[in-house]
Each structure stands twice: as C-alpha cells, then as structure tokens.
Amino acid sequence: MVLKELCNLYGVSGNEGEVRNFIRNEIKDYVDEIKVDCLGNLMVKKRGRNCSKQIMFLAHMDEVGLMVEKIEKNGTIKFQSVGGILPSIFPATNVKILGKETLSGVIGIQPIHLQKSVLSPIKMDSLYIDCGANSDTELNGKIEIGDYITFITKFSQLGDLWEGKAFDDRVGCSIMIDILKENITPEFDTWFVFATQEEVGLRGSITASYHIKPDFALVLEGTTACDIPLVERNRYTTQLGKGPAISIAHNGLVFGKKVFTFLKNIAEQKQIPFQVKEKISGGNDATRIAKAEKGTFVGSVSVPVRYIHSPTSVMHPEDYINTQKLAMGIFNNSQNFFNQ
Amino acid sequence: MQDIIKRLVETSSPSGREENIQKIILEYIKPYVDDYHIDSLGNLIAHKKGNGKKLLFDAHADEIGFVATYIDDNGFIHIEPLGGHLPVNLPHQRIRFEYGTKGTIGYESEILMKQASDRKEVSFDTLFVDIGARTRNEALSKIRIGETATYDSSFVDMGNRYMSKAMDDRIACAILINVIQTLKSNHHDLYFVFATQEEVGLVGSKAAAYGIEPDYGIALDVTATGFRDTPKGAKRIPMKLGSGPAIKIQDRSMIADHRLNQWIQNIAEESHIPYQFEVLAFGGTNAGVIQTTKSGVITTCISIPTRYLHSASEVVDVFDVRHTAQLMKTIAEKEISI
Amino acid sequence: MFDWERVLKTITSLYGISGEELSVANWIQKEISPFVQKTYINTLGSLVAIKEGVGKIKGKLMISTHIDEIGFVVGAILDGGFLKVEPRGGVDPKILQAQECLVRSINGEMLPSVFSTVPPHLIKPEERNKVASYDTLILDTGLSEEDVKKRIRIGSPIVFKAPFISLLNNRFSSKTLDDRACATISIATIKELTKIYHEWDIYFVFSTQEEVGLKGAGTSAWEINPDVAIAMDVGFASQEGYVGLSLGEGPGLAVGPNFTPKIVKDIRDVAKNESIPLPIEPSARPGGTDAGAIQVSRGGVPTALISIPIKYMHTPIELLDLKDCKYTVRILTEYIKNLDTEYLEGLKWS
C-alpha cells in the first residue's frame, strides 16, 4: 500500500505532476498501455481477455489547496483557495509555497488579545501567509503570483485511525494501485484513470471519459464523514469503520438501480461490510462520466473521511481494507454487470 | 388523452428510477414508431422516420422525489431530495415509497417553537418521514435504505383544469404520446426522447442528444406562472394559465434560438393556435444541454404553464394542454425553415 | 496602421445581445474577409475566420473572443406601456436607475428608453437605503400603451445605450468593451498576420452567447477540434476597492487549474523575449470565460487565457487602455510565428 507516500505528495488541482509521476512509476510494470492527456489525466489499461467492453475505474489525484494571489509590499502573501475550503480552517496553519523555490509559511491571524470581536467569522480578506520575508523584494525570483500552495501535514497514525491530508482522493488512487499490482487479467479491458481537477469543477473526468468511452465505470472516492459528537445522527452522511460507502444519489446524479444493486450484491456475496451514503450533498466525477457522450453506467464507492478538505483529515484503516476488497471484487466481476 | 395523463401522473417514477414510467410510455407509443431503444441512462428514444433534417422532441419522464437514507431508532425514516424541493413546503405531505409503504413528512417541531415566523431552518436535516413504525426494526421490515418515494397524490379533474403531482413533466410526455399517436405525416426525421434525471441536472437528455446529433431540438416542459395568474404572484413572471403554450425566450439554461421561435410563432398564427412568450428568471430545461451538443443545435423550448410547481398539486389548464398538443403536432408535420 | 479608434467605436456600437449577434458577425466578416482565406457562420451563430498557414504539416490554433453583449429582455408589459425587464447575462440592478437603453422592436427599430427613478423629494426615509432590484425597476419608452403593444413584446431585447468616449492617456470608455475590445484585437491580429510568415492555420472564432454559458465557444471548439486554443476576454483591472491587473501595464495571463501549463509557459516566454509586459492573473476558481469550455472539448484542448484589463465590467462605462490591446496583438503574432511542425509534435501528451 502506498497511501502514505501518496498523501505526503503535493498535488493541488492543476498541479498534479508529482502525484502523476509517482503513480506512473509504481504501476508501469503492471499495465499494457499508458496515456496522459492534455489535462494531465493518467490513463492506464489492463488488457482483458475480451475487448468488447471497456471498464473504467477512476480516482482523482488532485487535492484542495491554495494559490498565491498577491505579494504585499510588506512581504506577506494573499491567497485564493483552490477547491472548496472553509475560511475558518486556514488560521494558524502550516503551508508550503511551491514557487521557483519552495518556501515554508504560516497563515497568520491576530492574537486573541488584539481582536475587536472574537466572535466575528474569519473572512478570506483578512488572511495572509507569512513566510518570514520583510518585503516583497525579498521574495523576487523565489515565488510569484499564481504559484501553488499546499498543506503539508504528514501521514500519521492517530490512535486506531490514520491522519493526513489529501485522503480525498489519494485513498482512491492507492486502492487502484493495489488492484493493478495484483496483476490479474480481467475479463474485459479495464482502464484505471488517475484524474485531475476534480476539486475545481470535475474537469479531468470530462476528457478522460471521452478518451475511454467506458461501458461501465466506477468512481473510487474519499467522501464526507461527519460522525462526531454534537452533530445529529441523521447528518453523519457516512461513519468511520463501517466499510465502504455506496452512493445512491449525489448532486447532479441518481445512481441507477442496476449499478447500485450490482455493487451491493458484490459486497454482500463477499461479506464485506458497507454503508449507504446518507446525504446527497456534494458530487463527484461520476456526474460527468454518466453524461459523457451517449451516457454510461457509473457507480461510486467511497472511503469515509472525517474533516475532509482540511489539512488534517482522518480515516479508518479497516475502511481502506474493505473498500479495497470491494473494489477488487468489482474488478474481478465486472463482466457480471452486463449479465444481470 | 385525459386517461393517459391520469395514468402517467399517478405513476411513481422519480429521477433515476424511471423504469416504471418508461414501460407505460412505451406501451402507448410502440405501435406508432419505426423503432425505439432504451439507453444506459434509461432514456426512452423513439424514432419516426422522415426525409428531412433531424428534429428532436424532448420531454422528461422523471419527477421529483425522495430517497430513504437512514432509519433512526424510533423507526422514523430520514430522506434526501431527488430534484429541487423547497423543504418548507414539505411538512405533512404524504409520500409513497417504491414498494407501496406510505408515510407523512414530519419536522422537528422545536424549530417552530423557537421561531414561529421563520421556517428557514426547515431543511432535509430537520425533516423525517413517519410510516407508523414504532421501532427501527419495524420500519426496516417495510422500507429498505435506498428506496425512493414520491408524493402520494392522485389526479383530479377540476373541470377546465387538472391537478396532480408530476404534471412536471408527465403532461409533456402525454402530449408527445398524443403527437406520436396522431401524426399522419412528417417531413423531418423525428426523434422523441423521454429523458431521465432532468430534475437532478439535465442528465439523460445530454447523453441522448449526443447520440442523436439532431439539427433542431425542441424541449417540452412546464413553466411557472406569476403576477397575472395568482394573487400577488411572482413579480417577475408574466406567464399565466389559459393563454396557450409558452414559447421560451430565455431561462437560466438557455437563450432560445430566435429564428426558430419566429418560425414557431408564424405557424402558430397560421394555424390559429394561441401562444404566449416565456421569460423565466430561474430554472432551466433539457433545451439548455441539447443546444450545446457537439457543434451546436438550433434549439428552443415550448412550455405548459403550471401552477405550484414541484408540489403534490401542480395545476395545468386543459386549454393550454390541448393547444400545446396541437402546436407540437403542427411543428412535427411541417418543414422548419429559418 | 490599424485604426483602433474607428474599429472600437464601430464594433461597440453594434447591436448584439447574447443570442442575436448576427449584425456584429456580419460587420466583422466584411472587415476581415480580404485578409483571410475563409469565413463562415456556424450553427449557434459564431463567426469563424481561417487564416491559413503555409506549413506542410500544420496544426490548428483557435483564438476565441466573444461578440455578444449583456442586456435585458422585456419580462412584462404593464399598464401604461411601462416595461419590466429580465437580465440576459449578469447585470447589477443597482446601476440601472436613470440609465438609457435601447429596446429592439419587433420590426428591428432601436427604441430609446430610460430606467425609472423616484425623485429624492418623494422618497420615503425608509426607502432611501433600499437597493434596486428587478422586482421594482421599470423601463419607460415614452410610448403609449397601444404603441408599445404594437412594437414590443415579451422577450424583446434591450441593450445599453452609451457613447464611445475618448479619455486621457489613450483610454476609452464605452459599453460592450467586454468582449468586443478583444474581438478588435483579433481583427488587428488578422491584419498583422498578413505581413508575416506562419505555418499553422489560425482559426479566429468570434463566439456567441458567452455571457449566458460559454455556448458559442464550446460548440465552435467541438467543430474545429483545435490543437491549441487561446481565449481572450476582459479581466478585472484595479479600481477602488479591488486590486488586480493594472490598466496600461499589459494584458494578464491566467494561471490556474483550467489553463494548460505548457501553453501558458510558451506565451509567457514569447512576452519575455519581446519585453512585453504580461502579468500573471491567478485564477484558482473554475473560470467563467470561453477558455473553461474550450479546454474540456472532446478529449481536451491545450488552452490559455489572455485578459485585457478593464474597469467597471458589465456596465455601460467599461474602460480600457489601448496599450494593453496593442501589447496583445504583438504577443499573439509572436506566438503564432513559433508554431511549426515541431511545436505540434511537442504537444503529444504522455
């Protein structure tokens, strides 16, 4: 399993090169074809015994992050967020600016003593990165406007759980790599797409679907879990430790009964614990894939992740194992989807 | 036609679960079309051959609905929306699940105690369904997680008007069925798409149009009515019941092709079919995605004015329905020239 | 010499609300026909002009600028012949009181009109701070109700009426500089290309319906299937309360997830070599320009976005600096000079 390595890599949407190179290197010996398109999607093929259908597994490589918007005269840096991040998680966070040089920085905030009102919400306007510079000229040639900025949390053990950044969706990437390394020849040609730009409008999957034209696709995701105290049970969405979450519907798509039943049956047959995602807010690449070209069958299976879209997300190792088992089951049995 | 409308609107088939409704539509149109198929998104696509350019008619087969996602310890079902619901309209509505279980929507009543005048806090987080179960296990014996539901409401003939759930967009399906059944000759190569998942994001139609690659696209959908139609109705909406089909000028998804609109306006006048124009400040229809298919499609939308959209009691006017059918049939018979 | 003022003045005065851009397309077609090999208007009304290159194995570069303008349509005709309007494209209702507009009648006449205001003498204290909205704005044509009903219908288009004015420092203000200023840059570039040797075919797309969902550019990109695309649109210039690009200090080059790094870099290198200012415009969010639709056309198109800074976007007093337009022509021309077979080979992604 390379989840740890994957999560420690930097790959904010649009800047997925480091992740792509790592994955490519990991899987190159196990695949029959490797393609990269101009959006940066890494698409690899496992040739099947039968090429009459194309199966597609897809996970996105990109993670949420930040971008340099402006360098102030005093050497502080204003930023935009890349992907959906709540302003309230930014203060007092460590980041790295990936410019010509890589600079460490912190996101500053006024000490509590100086704040007019502790109760007022954090606004993006008030946030800035401090990388120790005294003036903008000190930063000349080191970083510039438009450079990507990333969270830097390292993968670690948190009690029985795992903590890290970018579980959304390196966990999907990692499971796809696991499957590839098993080096099993599937019934049908099976593509594994490591997609880009999911967090900024589900864009990589648009062109990937166009290239591959899948007959059946499965999106492997890291999804919201909110199973914490003070949140009502009916807003949990998913829970850690209860196995992969199968989606019924999310923003912009209802998953077909045929797909939903197929995924559920595999989990039941293989006695893999699973849960149904209980909220439909949020969406993922499945929405794009379903509508691509003449339309296709698509399903979505996710690993529950707490504190998603923050530098410190948390997941359960058993969910990883069970999602991997389910994904493997789908990989090995995708031909059955068409015989239902 | 009334019987068909009644049967269509009373069929329960929310977004993503259109199998039931497609079966019924197919039953009505099968003898009258040259061929048909159901694609991977569940769209029912029927073809009536013609020598002219390809003309696509689109009506969506799905209706808004709900899906059961969680059952609590006391047997209450927690639901999520399929399509655009205004949660504040939902309390105490009856709904019917896929396999027949009925229930009513309750809400956390402490919200009302807190703030009698402000019901903004009514959301799917604070709504639940009561199916009469006393425990979680009892509920689980009646409902499965993932089971969908729709309003439990039946067709009412109000004389000059019809009332039911799912007029959006089964009334358009009924009109297209009528066109298919009664059309004697057609110039254009006609495709009829009964599209899926419109209510969650124009899903089915986009894929169907891609496969067909039409020259012209006309979506048939419902539209809202406003200040001329109901007491203190929406100030920005000029449409009303009983003034005939509405030719769409624009909504949030599309600026209709003004040449095609002009042609439709001309044939409506020639055929003495009443019509009105539609400018809608919100919402969109399948026409929006048909228009941008591949290198572009000349597209518009014809709308049936409908009161109380997305509720269990949507109301349409028989006069509008009849004239929309007449207009669509006239369009289908003629050659479009722009 | 290219007569910027003449072209800008004419092109911004033409009627072309989103969805009805034909007169703009026709005017541009006439203006550029002598300088290109082929022009045509496609399904959704975009004008495509092909300036052929001389290479043996040549790529296709698509340069996209949109020619539609924001405006309104008549939403309802009220008693007395007053009009209610609905926006077509994003127009801030706060700026509308006392603005002059033109209503396009059923017969194509442009009827003058003004947005109503309540005089300060009559306004109630509690209404003073109320923000204007489309619920309350009224457009007055001065015509009788009878006349209005004859000449205007629901859906009749309305555009801003605004003069083209010349300001200090070669700056100009007008309606519709978004994005006809960029269309003008395309026209100037076409004329410039007649003087140089270039290998690729350059497809200039004057796209429609950008303001209502990037419709013309997306469908044109599908049709043309280019190897590289550059979209040009207006960007936010620094003004009171906002810090962005600066007027006269060069067009912006967008960086962010929606723009292809290789193309961005190549354009940047061209500007650097030619010492043309080209500040970076950070765009972390998915953009609302033609580039957004073009990049994901078919299997993906390597795409960049050049932004001409303007102030007061989406108002009748948009304001630009001619220097930025001229810089952009040079950048495009120099970039096009570099496009050869080798460049095409270099675009193979893997």
Side-chain angles (χ1 to χ4, degrees):
Chain A
M1 186 190 75
V2 289
L3 181 63
K4 179 179 169 181
E5 292 82 348
L6 280 171
C7 289
N8 290 345
L9 295 172
Y10 304 140
V12 177
S13 309
N15 193 36
E16 301 91 348
E18 194 176 305
V19 183
R20 181 169 51 244
N21 291 341
F22 175 86
I23 294 175
R24 187 184 193 138
N25 200 40
E26 283 292 313
I27 49 99
K28 63 178 189 306
D29 298 334
Y30 306 95
V31 299
D32 299 300
E33 198 178 329
I34 299 184
K35 282 205 241 181
V36 176
D37 75 359
C38 86
L39 271 91
N41 293 306
L42 172 63
M43 301 171 281
V44 303
K45 180 173 162 183
K46 200 86 189 132
R47 199 175 294 127
R49 286 183 288 277
N50 178 338
C51 64
S52 68
K53 303 257 186 234
Q54 303 294 308
I55 311 295
M56 177 168 99
F57 281 69
L58 182 141
H60 66 90
M61 296 187 285
D62 61 315
E63 65 183 298
V64 297
L66 303 74
M67 177 181 275
V68 177
E69 183 178 63
K70 188 162 179 274
I71 301 168
E72 302 283 6
K73 287 248 175 307
N74 67 5
T76 59
I77 294 145
K78 305 294 279 181
F79 58 90
Q80 302 176 349
S81 52
V82 181
I85 308 175
L86 288 175
S88 54
I89 72 117
F90 284 123
T93 303
N94 285 286
V95 295
K96 264 187 183 152
I97 306 170
L98 308 173
K100 225 171 230 147
E101 289 178 23
T102 298
L103 298 184
S104 292
V106 294
I107 301 180
I109 185 169
Q110 271 191 342
I112 188 166
H113 327 68
L114 302 179
Q115 288 177 24
K116 283 196 194 94
S117 167
V118 177
L119 293 176
S120 51
I122 303 283
K123 294 222 175 92
M124 280 301 279
D125 292 357
S126 68
L127 295 168
Y128 58 88
I129 294 168
D130 187 341
C131 53
N134 289 314
S135 72
D136 55 349
T137 47
E138 272 179 43
L139 296 171
N140 275 349
K142 295 193 172 91
I143 59 164
E144 65 173 348
I145 292 172
D147 284 344
Y148 281 96
I149 305 163
T150 178
F151 295 127
I152 57 162
T153 325
K154 291 264 189 261
F155 181 96
S156 64
Q157 193 78 32
L158 182 81
D160 299 331
L161 308 176
W162 289 336
E163 181 201 332
K165 67 171 183 64
F167 285 142
D168 172 12
D169 183 29
R170 303 287 158 71
V171 65
C173 297
S174 179
I175 290 171
M176 294 205 322
I177 295 168
D178 294 341
I179 298 175
L180 282 166
K181 286 184 175 171
E182 292 290 322
N183 214 4
I184 297 167
T185 302
E187 177 62 23
F188 291 122
D189 283 359
T190 304
W191 287 87
F192 290 79
V193 175
F194 300 90
T196 57
Q197 297 192 33
E198 196 267 358
E199 302 290 359
V200 291
L202 318 175
R203 290 170 64 85
S205 53
I206 302 177
T207 58
S209 310
Y210 182 85
H211 290 294
I212 289 163
K213 309 190 192 312
D215 298 287
F216 171 74
L218 182 79
V219 173
L220 282 168
E221 258 287 9
T223 197
T224 339
C226 205
D227 54 337
I228 51 175
L230 302 183
V231 171
E232 296 90 338
R233 169 61 189 83
N234 63 332
R235 291 174 64 193
Y236 280 5
T237 309
T238 65
Q239 297 174 69
L240 262 57
K242 298 227 163 157
I246 302 177
S247 299
I248 312 170
H250 65 208
N251 272 358
L253 186 70
V254 182
F255 292 89
K257 198 175 227 169
K258 197 173 161 185
V259 175
F260 182 65
T261 315
F262 173 69
L263 300 178
K264 234 169 72 169
N265 287 348
I266 290 186
E268 278 162 5
Q269 279 159 22
K270 310 220 173 273
Q271 298 182 314
I272 302 164
F274 69 94
Q275 52 191 321
V276 171
K277 194 178 164 191
E278 292 171 359
K279 285 275 158 194
I280 67 168
S281 52
N284 70 29
D285 285 322
T287 304
R288 298 295 195 191
I289 298 165
K291 294 195 272 194
E293 303 214 303
K294 293 182 193 176
T296 195
F297 294 103
V298 61
S300 177
V301 167
S302 307
V303 177
V305 181
R306 275 183 204 151
Y307 325 126
I308 204 164
H309 286 207
S310 91
T312 52
S313 45
V314 169
M315 59 170 281
H316 201 301
E318 272 176 31
D319 290 333
Y320 183 93
I321 292 164
N322 286 317
T323 307
Q324 184 204 55
K325 275 190 198 157
L326 179 57
M328 199 66 204
I330 297 162
F331 173 79
N332 285 326
N333 293 286
S334 57
Q335 66 277 11
N336 296 344
F337 177 77
F338 303 97
N339 309 329
Q340 280 183 93
Chain B
M1 196 171 171
Q2 184 175 330
D3 294 342
I4 297 181
I5 296 172
K6 177 172 159 55
R7 191 159 169 225
L8 294 184
V9 296
E10 287 186 351
T11 300
S12 188
S13 222
S15 307
R17 297 291 179 272
E18 295 89 352
E19 294 83 354
N20 294 341
I21 189 71
Q22 301 292 39
K23 214 178 288 166
I24 292 170
I25 295 171
L26 184 57
E27 200 181 289
Y28 286 122
I29 63 169
K30 210 166 162 180
Y32 303 94
V33 296
D34 294 314
D35 52 71
Y36 69 90
H37 72 280
I38 291 178
D39 72 7
S40 50
L41 288 173
N43 294 306
L44 169 58
I45 300 169
H47 184 198
K48 228 169 148 71
K49 283 183 190 149
N51 297 321
K53 290 182 168 179
K54 283 185 195 172
L55 167 58
L56 178 159
F57 289 111
D58 175 293
H60 66 89
D62 61 320
E63 64 184 298
I64 55 166
F66 312 92
V67 56
T69 55
Y70 163 60
I71 299 172
D72 67 24
D73 291 341
N74 299 317
F76 293 105
I77 320 294
H78 293 258
I79 52 173
E80 285 280 286
L82 299 177
H85 286 283
L86 209 53
V88 75
N89 292 340
L90 293 177
H92 312 146
Q93 288 288 345
R94 287 187 189 182
I95 68 171
R96 181 184 178 278
F97 285 89
E98 233 169 314
Y99 299 105
T101 305
K102 292 185 180 185
T104 183
I105 298 178
Y107 61 96
E108 295 173 354
S109 43
E110 67 171 35
I111 291 170
L112 280 202
M113 306 296 282
K114 263 195 301 203
Q115 237 170 343
S117 62
D118 184 4
R119 299 217 280 172
K120 261 185 278 181
E121 284 185 50
V122 179
S123 74
F124 276 85
D125 286 345
T126 57
L127 293 172
F128 50 85
V129 181
D130 187 342
I131 57 166
R134 286 159 299 182
T135 62
R136 181 177 152 84
N137 277 343
E138 188 183 346
L140 276 169
S141 71
K142 294 180 172 171
I143 287 189
R144 277 175 280 181
I145 297 294
E147 197 170 324
T148 61
T150 55
Y151 289 122
D152 181 36
S153 125
S154 54
F155 177 84
V156 179
D157 179 356
M158 305 164 101
N160 293 318
R161 289 174 177 172
Y162 297 147
M163 173 170 77
S164 172
K165 73 168 180 70
M167 282 296 173
D168 175 6
D169 192 26
R170 303 279 161 73
I171 193 68
C173 295
I175 289 168
L176 287 192
I177 290 171
N178 180 267
V179 171
I180 292 170
Q181 289 181 340
T182 58
L183 192 62
K184 297 220 172 58
S185 68
N186 52 294
H187 168 81
H188 286 293
D189 200 24
L190 296 182
Y191 287 85
F192 295 87
V193 175
F194 297 91
T196 56
Q197 301 203 34
E198 192 269 355
E199 297 291 359
V200 298
L202 320 179
V203 176
S205 184
K206 182 170 192 282
Y210 189 98
I212 294 165
E213 235 182 298
D215 297 287
Y216 303 104
I218 300 177
L220 190 58
D221 209 329
V222 296
T223 191
T225 65
F227 65 93
R228 293 207 166 102
D229 195 52
T230 52
K232 293 205 172 176
K235 286 196 179 110
R236 292 172 66 175
I237 302 180
M239 291 76 77
K240 60 189 251 209
L241 254 53
S243 295
I247 302 174
K248 171 105 66 191
I249 305 289
Q250 69 177 43
D251 61 26
R252 295 297 293 273
S253 73
M254 175 193 65
I255 309 296
D257 190 284
H258 64 100
R259 300 162 296 177
L260 184 56
N261 275 355
Q262 185 64 55
W263 179 79
I264 291 173
Q265 194 188 337
N266 293 347
I267 64 155
E269 272 164 20
E270 279 165 24
S271 317
H272 306 288
I273 302 167
Y275 62 88
Q276 53 188 320
F277 289 108
E278 175 195 355
V279 173
L280 195 60
F282 56 86
T285 72
N286 281 339
V289 292
I290 295 168
Q291 186 180 43
T292 50
T293 302
K294 296 192 173 178
S295 54
V297 178
I298 293 170
T299 304
T300 190
C301 175
I302 304 293
S303 305
I304 302 108
T306 306
R307 285 183 189 162
Y308 324 124
L309 281 174
H310 286 197
S311 80
S313 308
E314 297 174 333
V315 173
V316 299
D317 192 306
V318 179
F319 177 90
D320 296 333
V321 174
R322 204 179 316 126
H323 286 100
T324 309
Q326 203 191 334
L327 179 61
M328 297 307 282
K329 206 177 138 195
T330 313
I331 293 170
E333 283 167 352
K334 293 194 185 280
E335 179 181 0
I336 295 174
S337 63
I338 60 170
Chain C
M1 277 297 279
F2 186 72
D3 189 348
W4 284 94
E5 197 170 339
R6 176 189 68 89
V7 177
L8 275 174
K9 187 171 176 171
T10 313
I11 203 169
T12 53
S13 73
L14 297 170
Y15 165 75
I17 197 169
S18 303
E20 303 194 7
E21 303 88 346
L22 189 62
S23 50
V24 190
N26 281 340
W27 185 84
I28 297 172
Q29 196 168 22
K30 242 186 240 148
E31 188 76 14
I32 59 176
S33 281
F35 309 101
V36 294
Q37 278 65 43
K38 190 183 167 195
T39 62
Y40 65 93
I41 290 172
N42 64 20
T43 310
L44 293 194
S46 300
L47 169 67
V48 181
I50 308 167
K51 172 81 182 69
E52 284 175 7
V54 296
K56 278 204 185 87
I57 304 165
K58 46 190 181 178
K60 289 187 254 185
L61 170 67
M62 167 170 163
I63 296 181
S64 182
T65 59
H66 70 90
I67 55 174
D68 59 319
E69 67 184 297
I70 52 168
F72 317 86
V73 297
V74 174
I77 300 171
L78 305 178
D79 291 348
F82 294 103
L83 304 176
K84 293 197 57 176
V85 306
E86 284 296 324
R88 185 172 279 189
V91 191
D92 180 358
K94 288 198 294 295
I95 67 155
L96 294 181
Q97 291 180 75
Q99 285 293 345
E100 289 183 322
C101 286
L102 295 167
V103 185
R104 189 171 169 87
S105 77
I106 295 166
N107 297 326
E109 311 142 283
M110 300 305 283
L111 306 172
S113 60
V114 292
F115 273 107
S116 68
T117 56
V118 177
H121 326 69
L122 299 181
I123 204 157
K124 292 181 203 152
E126 66 270 22
E127 286 173 351
R128 265 179 196 273
N129 294 325
K130 245 192 176 167
V131 176
S133 81
Y134 288 106
D135 275 358
T136 52
L137 282 162
I138 300 291
L139 191 69
D140 189 346
T141 59
L143 299 170
S144 69
E145 183 173 342
E146 199 193 351
D147 217 3
V148 164
K149 285 187 169 157
K150 254 187 257 157
R151 299 162 84 174
I152 295 170
R153 61 168 174 81
I154 290 177
S156 288
I158 303 159
V159 290
F160 283 123
K161 178 181 176 222
F164 180 85
I165 55 173
S166 184
L167 303 167
L168 298 174
N169 295 316
N170 255 328
R171 291 177 176 182
F172 297 98
S173 171
S174 165
K175 74 176 182 77
T176 331
L177 289 172
D178 173 6
D179 188 33
R180 307 255 177 91
C182 294
T184 307
I185 293 169
S186 276
I187 296 170
T189 307
I190 288 171
K191 295 188 178 174
E192 204 60 31
L193 290 184
T194 58
K195 302 177 198 157
I196 67 155
Y197 169 93
H198 65 97
E199 293 199 3
W200 281 30
D201 289 339
I202 317 298
Y203 287 67
F204 289 90
V205 174
F206 299 90
S207 70
T208 54
Q209 300 198 37
E210 191 270 353
E211 301 287 1
V212 293
L214 324 177
K215 301 223 169 182
T219 50
S220 298
W222 175 276
E223 182 176 74
I224 294 164
N225 199 10
D227 297 291
V228 175
I230 299 173
M232 278 194 284
D233 208 330
V234 292
F236 300 105
S238 302
Q239 63 179 73
E240 192 56 40
Y242 177 79
V243 181
L245 299 165
S246 302
L247 281 189
E249 294 180 15
L253 180 65
V255 302
N258 294 176
F259 313 101
T260 311
K262 177 182 161 48
I263 311 302
V264 172
K265 182 182 176 298
D266 292 344
I267 294 175
R268 228 182 151 191
D269 287 347
V270 164
K272 218 174 272 169
N273 290 340
E274 299 296 317
S275 310
I276 305 166
L278 182 66
I280 293 296
E281 190 185 30
S283 308
R285 282 171 289 277
T289 70
D290 283 345
I294 298 167
Q295 195 198 27
V296 292
S297 176
R298 295 192 187 227
V301 178
T303 303
L305 170 70
I306 296 180
S307 303
I308 309 304
I310 65 166
K311 289 181 178 177
Y312 322 123
M313 199 184 288
H314 282 202
T315 74
I317 53 147
E318 293 175 335
L319 194 161
L320 64 66
D321 188 316
L322 207 51
K323 279 202 284 298
D324 298 318
C325 301
K326 292 178 177 168
Y327 286 138
T328 309
V329 174
R330 279 178 58 206
I331 291 167
L332 289 174
T333 314
E334 293 302 323
Y335 175 71
I336 289 168
K337 279 184 192 167
N338 290 336
L339 301 175
D340 54 14
T341 313
E342 198 185 324
Y343 196 89
L344 190 60
E345 290 293 314
L347 291 174
K348 287 194 179 137
W349 312 88
S350 69

